[in-house]
Each structure stands twice: as structure tokens, then as C-alpha cells.
């Protein structure tokens, strides 16, 4: 890699993470939907748990153990 290519790559990286543009964009992405604890709490309260729990229960119900293991339980 030439010195010019290295310089171009470092400038691009700085523009992405270190400049005002990069920092401002990162803050925008972080806080667009609100504070993280608020969005996580909303997702937790409003997630439809019934279907995934039913899927797990169906899988566990269809899972069988070998006879030797059943005798040990």
C-alpha cells in the first residue's frame, strides 16, 4: 500500500468516526428513537411473547430422550 493510499484511508476513517459529521451522525443514530433505556423498555413491554414461547414449548414437547436417560431421571 502506498503512502498516498494510506493517507486516503486514514482520512476516510477520520471523517467517519472523528469529524463533526461522523460524531453528529453517530449521535443522531443513537438518539433517533429516544434514550436507549426508553426504547428497550418499550420493546420489552410490547413484544409478543406468546408465539415464541409456544414455538419453544412445541419444540421441547417433540424432543425425546433415549430410554437409558429416561430411566436415570
Amino acid at each position: 500500500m502506498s503512502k498516498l493510499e494510506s493517507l486516503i484511508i486514514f482520512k476516510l476513517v477520520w471523517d467517519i468516526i472523528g469529524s463533526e459529521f461522523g460524531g453528529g451522525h453517530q449521535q443522531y443514530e443513537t438518539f433517533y428513537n429516544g434514550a436507549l433505556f426508553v426504547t428497550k423498555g418499550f420493546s420489552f413491554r410490547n413484544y409478543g411473547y406468546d408465539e415464541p414461547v409456544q414455538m419453544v414449548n412445541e419444540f421441547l414437547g417433540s424432543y425425546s430422550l433415549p430410554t437409558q436417560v429416561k430411566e436415570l431421571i
Side-chain angles (χ1 to χ4, degrees):
M1 179 181 304
S2 71
K3 292 179 181 181
L4 179 60
E5 290 173 333
S6 296
L7 180 64
I8 291 171
I9 290 173
F10 281 118
K11 173 131 178 45
L12 175 63
V13 169
W14 173 254
D15 286 343
I16 291 171
I17 62 172
S19 70
E20 296 83 15
F21 171 74
H25 185 72
Q26 181 179 3
Q27 283 187 339
Y28 172 79
E29 290 293 330
T30 302
F31 297 110
Y32 176 74
N33 288 325
L36 188 59
F37 70 94
V38 173
T39 56
K40 281 186 176 182
F42 180 81
S43 297
F44 180 76
R45 286 188 308 274
N46 294 307
Y47 182 74
Y49 288 99
D50 297 333
E51 183 180 357
V53 169
Q54 180 185 358
M55 290 171 62
V56 169
N57 287 334
E58 287 175 7
F59 172 75
L60 292 175
S62 69
Y63 192 77
S64 63
L65 295 173
T67 309
Q68 297 89 0
V69 176
K70 288 183 182 178
E71 292 172 359
L72 295 174
I73 296 177

